[in-house]
Amino acid sequence: MSSASWVDTWTPGARETLFDGDMGYPLEPGSLLVLQIHYNLLATGGERVTDRSSVRLRQTDGTPETLRLNTLGLTAPIELPCTPDESGPLCDRAAAVADVTTRFGVEIGRWSEWLLARCGHDTPRPGNTQTCDTPAPAEMTVHAARGHMHLLGRAIKVELNPGTPEAKTLLDVPEFNFDDQALHVLPEPVPLKAGDTLRTTCTHDAGLRRQLPQLRELPPRYVVWGEGTADEMCAPLLTVSAAD
C-alpha cells in the first residue's frame, strides 16, 4: 500500500461504524488530512445557502498491535445509454463524454476510456449492467464494504474469486438506495491473497431519470463516469488491513 491512507468516506445514510477489536486508520504526527466534498446544488433553486458540513474524528493512541486500516476502492465502467423513448444530443456517447470533460476537466473526462482499458474492454458495452475484475494488489484482510453509486443505481455487488471453490460475496446490495449507503461490516474478516480476483458488478436504470425530481428536468444523456448527480459511478469501497 502507498503511504497515503484513505481515512474515511461519508455517503448518504452513513453513520459512524465502530469495529470490534483494536484497529483504526493511522495518523502519524504531522499527518495532513485532505477533505474532499461533492456538492449538489440542484435543490437550492439557485439561492445562496450556508454550508453546514462538519467532521468529527474518534481518536485513540493505538499500540504496536493495532491493525492499521486503509480503504481499497474498486470501479467498473458506466456505459448507460438513453432509454428507447429518449432522444437528444447527449444521447450520443461522444457528446456525453465531451460534456463531462467540459464540466469537470480533462482528467475526469478520460475516466470512461480509462475504465474500459482497465477492465479489459476493447470497446464500450452499452447496457444497464457492467462488470470489472480487479486483482487484489497485495495480501490483505477485508473487514467491511460499502457500495457507492448515484441516483440511477439499482444494484451493486463485489465477489471474491467468483466461479471458484474459494468464491465469497463481500458486498451484495440487490436494491440500492441512494439515501442508505451504509458501511457493511463483514460477519468475519476475509483474507485476500495478492492477485485474487475482485469482481465488481453494478446495475443502473436510465428509466429512473423520469421519476426523480432532481433529474426529470435535465436533458436525456448517455451516462458515463462523472462527478455530478446526473452522472454515475460504480465505486465499491473496501475497508482493509495489510497483512502482518
Side-chain angles (χ1 to χ4, degrees):
M1 296 183 184
S2 69
S3 58
S5 176
W6 187 338
V7 173
D8 203 358
T9 300
W10 181 87
T11 46
R15 297 289 186 270
E16 181 186 29
T17 300
L18 299 179
F19 292 93
D20 292 332
D22 183 14
M23 62 184 71
Y25 292 89
L27 294 174
E28 304 294 344
S31 295
L32 178 66
L33 284 174
V34 178
L35 176 65
Q36 182 189 73
I37 300 178
H38 292 189
Y39 290 99
N40 176 4
L41 303 179
L42 292 176
T44 67
E47 296 181 7
R48 181 173 295 182
V49 295
T50 301
D51 186 347
R52 296 181 295 172
S53 303
S54 62
V55 175
R56 185 173 64 180
L57 298 178
R58 185 187 294 267
Q59 295 178 274
T60 180
D61 290 337
T63 70
E65 288 72 39
T66 301
L67 281 179
R68 301 164 69 90
L69 298 179
N70 204 339
T71 300
L72 177 64
L74 302 174
T75 53
I78 308 296
E79 298 289 340
L80 184 65
C82 289
T83 64
D85 59 346
E86 291 179 324
S87 62
L90 292 177
C91 287
D92 175 74
R93 183 182 186 276
V97 172
D99 177 66
V100 168
T101 303
T102 297
R103 287 184 287 126
F104 301 111
V106 173
E107 182 177 352
I108 298 300
R110 290 174 175 165
W111 262 70
S112 56
E113 303 305 326
W114 178 81
L115 283 169
L116 294 178
R118 180 179 179 275
C119 298
H121 300 180
D122 295 331
T123 59
R125 304 174 183 179
N128 288 359
T129 299
Q130 304 288 334
T131 64
C132 183
D133 287 353
T134 302
E139 186 177 347
M140 61 183 67
T141 300
V142 182
H143 300 273
R146 81 167 83 233
H148 176 60
M149 299 188 287
H150 291 174
L151 294 172
L152 301 180
R154 281 290 196 186
I156 186 167
K157 189 174 186 179
V158 178
E159 301 166 275
L160 170 63
N161 295 323
T164 73
E166 297 79 28
K168 293 182 182 294
T169 298
L170 303 180
L171 176 72
D172 187 10
V173 184
E175 296 182 5
F176 180 78
N177 179 355
F178 179 82
D179 294 314
D180 183 17
Q181 300 184 51
L183 182 68
H184 300 269
V185 178
L186 303 186
E188 297 289 340
V190 175
L192 305 182
K193 302 186 298 293
D196 276 351
T197 297
L198 293 165
R199 176 169 296 169
T200 298
T201 303
C202 284
T203 298
H204 297 84
D205 183 358
L208 292 174
R209 191 158 37 218
R210 289 190 173 180
Q211 303 177 34
L212 298 171
Q214 302 96 319
L215 302 180
R216 66 166 65 116
E217 301 301 325
L218 300 178
R221 67 174 60 240
Y222 187 114
V223 180
V224 293
W225 184 282
E227 303 283 350
T229 303
D231 310 301
E232 267 302 337
M233 291 186 178
C234 172
L237 301 173
L238 305 183
T239 301
V240 300
S241 61
D244 295 333

